[in-house]
Each structure stands twice: as structure tokens, then as C-alpha cells.
Amino acid sequence: MLAYMQMVHETLRLWDFVDIFIVAVVLYRVYMLLKNTRAASLVKGLIVLILATLLSNWLELHVVNWLLQKSMTVLLVALPVVFQPELRRALEHLGRGRFFSKHVLDEAEVENILNALSSAVFSMAKHKIGALVVIERETGLSDYIETGIKLDALITSEFLINIFIPNTPLHDGAVILRGNRVAAAGCLLPLTEQRALSKELGTRHRAAIGLSEQTDALILVVSEETGTVSLASGGHLRRELTGEDIKKTLRPVMNSNNVNWKDAAKATFANWRRTK
């Protein structure tokens, strides 16, 4: 064993580490594209099927193994159809040059977004206009964006207010923010199944909690009845927030989203050179 490890150590080159790093980054990006989407459950089912096939072969369960192998053959043909939305999304990201990276916000952009959000949210709260604003983080929200109307517009307080004006086409549903853009409006969110919630909480609050249970997104809610501003995160709801509360909570989160794979690669290479 020691001789084998020594042989591996002697044959490893710098490009082997680069090779491994590239594969790891690609797999991570694929994972982030699939995480918390409908495809994630299908991938888990596929993994279970593969493990069952290997186990049946090891236990020499010939009939079971034959059936599982035939099922795998059918699945290989069906996969492009089943994963068509995810494959299309991955190719779109690759074509736009966004498969390995994302838009990095500078401090000025973060402050502009925070000011726009705070101004819009409390203007709507003052006039008791119901609103639901989702801030995407690491978990992709493409499945939910597809349920609404895609916009891809810059975030401004006037634009956000205009979306939620009652009786306008997009007011009923959630707005999803991605980076410094309004990705979509009128989006449908999953409702929480928590039964211990206050009866005062309406559909917007339950949708905000429901999405925060399934993803790492932050969701701002403006109550149409009371004008109260709330923030849902990790399945919990903070109520009666002020403008300063929102900025203090969102600023570190939006700054932490600015780390991308290029920065990680530079840091890794710098650390490797220091250890040489």
C-alpha cells in the first residue's frame, strides 16, 4: 500500500491537479443547476437505481439484475427527454458565458439595490400594497422563474412599485431578483406546510416561508392588510422590519454572493505556489 501511494505521488503532475479541479468545477456547476429543481428528485432516483443494480449483481440476483439493467437501458434513452428543460438551461448558460461564473456586484451596485429595495418596500407598506420579492442566492430559482413572466430588467424602486400596483397584469405573484436584475414577475411559489403558523399570515407569507424552506433565497413580504414588512429565511419569518433592518440583513448576504469560481481558482493557485 505504501509503495502504491509513493508511485501515485511520483506520477502526479501539476496538470493532473488542474484536470481534477476543472472536473470538480463542472460537476459543482451541474449540481447547482439541478439543486432544488424537479430534476434533483429524478437524479436521486437514478442513483438509487444504479446502486440497486450494483447490489443485485454482487448478490448474484440474476433475474432482478437483468430487470434493472433493462430499466437502465430504457432510462438512458429517456434521459434527454426527461431532462430537456435542464439541458436547455445549461446550454443557455454556456452560450452566454455564465456556466462557470455569475455577475459579480460591486459595492456601489449592492448599495443601489439595497436602497431601491428599501425605498420600494416601505413605499408599498405605507400604502398597504401587497408585495413578494425573492432574492436569489446560491440555489438556482429557474424552475420558479419559468412559472412567471421573464423580464430581465434593472432593479429600481419605481419599477418594483409599478409591478405590484393592484389590478396590473403582474401584481399577483412574486418578483424574483437575480444579481442586479429583475429576472421575472408574477411567479408562483410553493406554500409552506407548517400548521403552527399564526392565522394572521396570509398566502404571501406562507409562500415566502415555503420557498425559504426549500431554497436559500431571502424573501421580502409586504402585508396588504397591515403594511407590515417581513423577511423569510431558512423556514423562519422575521416581522415588522425597518429599512435599516433590511439593509443590515441583506448587505452581508449580497456581498457574500460576490465570490465566484475565478476568485477561488486564483486563491487555490496562489496557495499552491506558496507551498512549493
Side-chain angles (χ1 to χ4, degrees), residues 24-43:
V25 170
V26 171
L27 291 176
Y28 173 75
R29 291 305 302 165
V30 171
Y31 167 74
M32 292 308 300
L33 283 173
L34 297 180
K35 184 180 178 183
N36 288 314
T37 65
R38 290 185 295 267
S41 299
L42 296 174
V43 171

Side-chain angles (χ1 to χ4, degrees), residues 7 24 47 53 104 115 130 134 141 176 188 195 207 210 228 237 242:
M7 182 185 69
I47 292 172
T53 303
V104 177
N115 290 332
V134 180
L141 301 178
I176 297 180
L188 303 178
R195 299 186 180 276
T228 301
L237 190 70
T242 65

Side-chain angles (χ1 to χ4, degrees), residues 13 16 36 50 53 55 83 93 109 129 134-135 138-139 143 171 190 212 217 228 248 260 264 268:
R13 304 167 301 157
D16 294 325
N36 288 314
I50 292 171
T53 303
L55 182 62
F83 288 101
H93 278 43
E109 283 183 308
I129 298 173
V134 180
I135 302 166
E138 288 298 323
T139 303
D143 279 355
H171 86 283
S212 73
T228 301
K248 284 182 179 179
N260 62 12
T268 302

